[in-house]
Amino acid sequence: MRVTLLGTGDTTGTPTPGCSCDTCEAAVDRDIERTRFSVHIENERTGESFLIDMSPDARYQLLRDSVLLPDEVIITHIHFDHLDGLGNAYRLLDSLPVHAAAAVDPQTGESVAETIAQKYDYLDQLDVHPQQPFEPFEICGVTATLVPVEHPPLACYGLAIEDETGAKLSITGDTNFAVPDASRDVLSDADLLLADAIVPARLCKHHPLGGTHENEAGVPRTFGTKHMTTEGALSLAAELNAAQTRLVHVSHFPTPEEAFGEHTAVDGEQYIL
């Protein structure tokens, strides 16, 4: 399968509109960017493709990277930067099956699937398919499994994608370091891991809640409560025994050296698994 990283940024993306920080200026100078999160997966054996999350930048991403229009979509959670691109289905796609978790979120009183069905009830193109966490389902000829992660206060899911050759892509989803053990088991041993890493641990001092899930050396592996630090994401990748790791959902707050370092992904990267 061919994996294209359409969007590797956080809520505001990099460069961030109206921002002249060193990292945003470096992104402009280097002609690179991080739009809001989305991953395109093409099953080259069947000619089908699907998206993991459909960001508000979906139209631009699909044009920029010249990928196939999606046949289906998986949505990990209901934050706008991960699902508001679904509106692009109008007059662009004849139909779009949308897969999302069926488990009820105590915070909202409904599942991710139910929220999507209600939010986009005006779009006849969308056909929402609730999926039970930990239960594999087929999408475009490959197997996907949603697993709960920790992104308080809302329910959020990571997932593993495996094709018939045994190639495996794992995505942590938006999460802090406290990914449940059962979810880690499903995400482990991936050929490619996309791990949420919003900032380096040193920036936890700027968060009102600081950092949590410190390692033995006292380095925070979670920034506040919702996202992993760079150090946390790399630590999780090591525990999951990922063959290759790319850090995503990266913000513009790190320095250019940190933001565009060895492990941090930028939009447009492609991988053949």
Side-chain angles (χ1 to χ4, degrees):
M1 54 184 164
R2 182 187 300 271
V3 179
T4 303
L5 310 189
L6 297 181
T8 56
D10 68 341
T11 305
T12 64
T14 302
T16 293
C19 182
S20 58
C21 74
D22 289 345
T23 297
C24 287
E25 290 190 347
V28 173
D29 291 342
R30 301 179 193 188
D31 193 27
I32 54 179
E33 62 184 340
R34 291 191 177 106
T35 54
R36 273 74 68 88
F37 184 80
S38 185
V39 178
H40 184 275
I41 299 173
E42 179 184 351
N43 183 342
E44 296 174 295
R45 285 173 290 280
T46 66
E48 298 171 290
S49 69
F50 63 99
L51 295 179
I52 306 300
D53 289 338
M54 195 166 185
S55 89
D57 301 310
R59 176 186 177 276
Y60 169 68
Q61 293 169 341
L62 293 168
L63 285 169
R64 180 198 62 197
D65 292 330
S66 300
V67 294
L68 298 173
L69 289 177
D71 295 291
E72 304 186 53
V73 174
I74 301 174
I75 298 295
T76 61
H77 65 297
I78 61 172
H79 280 159
F80 91 100
D81 53 323
H82 292 259
L83 60 65
D84 271 10
L86 288 173
N88 287 281
Y90 180 67
R91 294 176 61 185
L92 183 64
L93 301 168
D94 293 330
S95 64
L96 186 65
V98 179
H99 303 269
V104 173
D105 183 349
Q107 184 71 23
T108 65
E110 58 189 19
S111 68
V112 175
E114 289 171 329
T115 299
I116 293 169
Q118 293 183 30
K119 180 178 175 69
Y120 295 98
D121 61 354
Y122 64 94
L123 281 178
D124 293 336
Q125 291 86 351
L126 300 191
D127 181 16
V128 180
H129 296 255
Q131 303 292 347
Q132 291 296 335
F134 296 112
E135 293 186 7
F137 60 94
E138 184 173 313
I139 177 170
C140 295
V142 302
T143 300
T145 307
L146 288 162
V147 294
V149 293
E150 293 293 327
H151 189 53
L154 297 177
C156 186
Y157 296 85
L159 67 159
I161 307 292
E162 297 184 73
D163 71 9
E164 62 187 18
T165 72
K168 182 175 181 179
L169 167 69
S170 289
I171 301 175
T172 67
D174 285 14
T175 186
N176 63 32
F177 185 74
V179 177
D181 288 343
S183 298
R184 291 180 183 227
D185 289 343
V186 174
L187 299 174
S188 66
D189 299 318
D191 297 290
L192 175 63
L193 172 70
L194 305 180
D196 170 23
I198 196 164
V199 296
R202 66 175 184 82
L203 294 180
C204 289
K205 62 186 179 182
H206 298 295
H207 194 289
L209 299 177
T212 53
H213 302 121
E214 296 180 351
N215 64 15
E216 293 179 355
V219 177
R221 291 176 288 190
T222 294
F223 179 67
T225 62
K226 295 184 178 182
H227 297 276
M228 287 187 286
T229 61
T230 302
E231 292 85 347
L234 292 175
S235 177
L236 179 65
E239 292 183 16
L240 295 180
N241 193 36
Q244 184 174 11
T245 299
R246 302 301 286 158
L247 305 183
V248 296
H249 212 281
V250 179
S251 73
H252 69 126
F253 296 114
T255 65
E257 293 74 22
E258 294 167 330
F260 306 116
E262 177 184 2
H263 299 287
T264 51
V266 295
D267 288 11
E269 294 182 10
Q270 282 195 346
Y271 299 89
I272 304 296
L273 304 182

